[in-house]
Amino acid sequence: MHAEHTRSGLWPLLLDALDPSDAEFRPWGSGGIFPEQMSSPANHDPADLLAQWWATYTAVDEDDDMLETDRRLAVTAPFGQTWPGLAAGSEPATNPDQLAAEYAQVLLAERPQTRLGLVAAASGAEALAVAGWDGPCNYDNDTAKFSAIVRDWEQRFGARVVAVGFSTLHLSIAAPPADEHEALLLAAEHFAFCPDNIWQGTRPYTLAAYAERITGAHRWDFWWD
């Protein structure tokens, strides 16, 4: 289906569910998608969005904060509350579409309940908004904002949207960061895009530890609680 995209205009996505044993297969089978509520990814600047979200998630509220100021700032060290800007990106060393196909096979083996979705969209990033997926709704109801960032990652890192679940997103990455500096900058982008990846990820809950995990990694997985 991906090979036929140029002719058909349909972008294939692997669709996962909140509970694969549930006959409704939420959100896809239950109708929990809202395409009419989404704007266009073209209306949003990814660099501005990431900077705004970073400022929001690194802000310290002395009156209502689960973490002490020092501990909160330690999560985003060495940047603290200062937005470091975007990672540079690089040319893919392998074919992004071939890598996406290989990752799709891995995901199908891991999640045999996965279904195939076909979306009338120009790319996987745009398909997220066109389909009306609202996985990050606890943070923002307009998925087109997230699509704009994923579209930028398609260009900078050879990212491809492979699968999407109730509140999960799975990307293949043809040009992952290869050194500590770029990985730290990218970890900051991931934190702004999906803070739960770090707040509720693998210990220790810090950008530095997360950066180590994504250095050279050809798959990025996101989940919003």
Side-chain angles (χ1 to χ4, degrees), residues 49-89:
L49 283 172
L50 289 170
Q52 292 168 18
W53 287 341
W54 173 272
T56 297
Y57 304 145
T58 60
V60 175
D61 186 344
E62 299 288 353
D63 297 323
D64 183 21
D65 198 359
M66 294 178 63
L67 290 178
E68 298 173 356
T69 300
D70 290 347
R71 291 179 61 196
R72 177 171 286 276
L73 295 178
V75 171
T76 51
F79 307 123
Q81 292 178 285
T82 302
W83 170 239
L86 301 180

Side-chain angles (χ1 to χ4, degrees), residues 61-138:
D61 186 344
E62 299 288 353
D63 297 323
D64 183 21
D65 198 359
M66 294 178 63
L67 290 178
E68 298 173 356
T69 300
D70 290 347
R71 291 179 61 196
R72 177 171 286 276
L73 295 178
V75 171
T76 51
F79 307 123
Q81 292 178 285
T82 302
W83 170 239
L86 301 180
S90 61
E91 288 296 318
T94 186
N95 183 286
D97 296 321
Q98 179 59 38
L99 188 65
E102 293 172 2
Y103 184 24
Q105 293 300 317
V106 171
L107 278 173
L108 285 168
E110 293 176 351
R111 300 173 173 83
Q113 76 281 357
T114 299
R115 300 180 183 181
L116 176 65
L118 299 174
V119 187
S123 70
E126 294 186 19
L128 298 174
V130 173
W133 174 67
D134 74 339
C137 65
N138 285 346

Side-chain angles (χ1 to χ4, degrees), residues 20-225:
S21 64
D22 182 356
E24 287 193 323
F25 205 75
R26 295 174 60 198
W28 315 107
S30 63
I33 52 177
F34 310 95
E36 71 284 352
Q37 297 182 13
M38 308 304 172
S39 64
S40 168
N43 295 342
H44 307 284
D45 181 88
D48 288 346
L49 283 172
L50 289 170
Q52 292 168 18
W53 287 341
W54 173 272
T56 297
Y57 304 145
T58 60
V60 175
D61 186 344
E62 299 288 353
D63 297 323
D64 183 21
D65 198 359
M66 294 178 63
L67 290 178
E68 298 173 356
T69 300
D70 290 347
R71 291 179 61 196
R72 177 171 286 276
L73 295 178
V75 171
T76 51
F79 307 123
Q81 292 178 285
T82 302
W83 170 239
L86 301 180
S90 61
E91 288 296 318
T94 186
N95 183 286
D97 296 321
Q98 179 59 38
L99 188 65
E102 293 172 2
Y103 184 24
Q105 293 300 317
V106 171
L107 278 173
L108 285 168
E110 293 176 351
R111 300 173 173 83
Q113 76 281 357
T114 299
R115 300 180 183 181
L116 176 65
L118 299 174
V119 187
S123 70
E126 294 186 19
L128 298 174
V130 173
W133 174 67
D134 74 339
C137 65
N138 285 346
Y139 288 93
D140 198 296
N141 288 320
D142 188 358
T143 300
K145 296 177 181 178
F146 298 88
S147 293
I149 293 167
V150 173
R151 186 168 65 174
D152 186 50
W153 287 343
E154 288 176 339
Q155 297 169 359
R156 284 191 288 140
F157 301 104
R160 295 294 184 269
V161 178
V162 176
V164 60
F166 183 82
S167 58
T168 58
L169 177 63
H170 306 277
L171 310 180
S172 64
I173 306 298
D179 61 62
E180 180 182 2
H181 174 68
E182 289 301 315
L184 268 173
L185 290 174
L186 182 59
E189 291 188 40
H190 282 204
F191 177 78
F193 180 77
C194 179
D196 288 336
N197 262 34
I198 294 174
W199 281 340
Q200 301 184 39
T202 304
R203 292 177 182 269
Y205 308 126
T206 64
L207 281 189
Y210 184 83
E212 287 186 19
R213 293 192 289 273
I214 62 174
T215 300
H218 287 283
R219 58 182 284 182
W220 296 346
D221 302 305
F222 299 95
W223 60 93
W224 289 265
D225 192 355

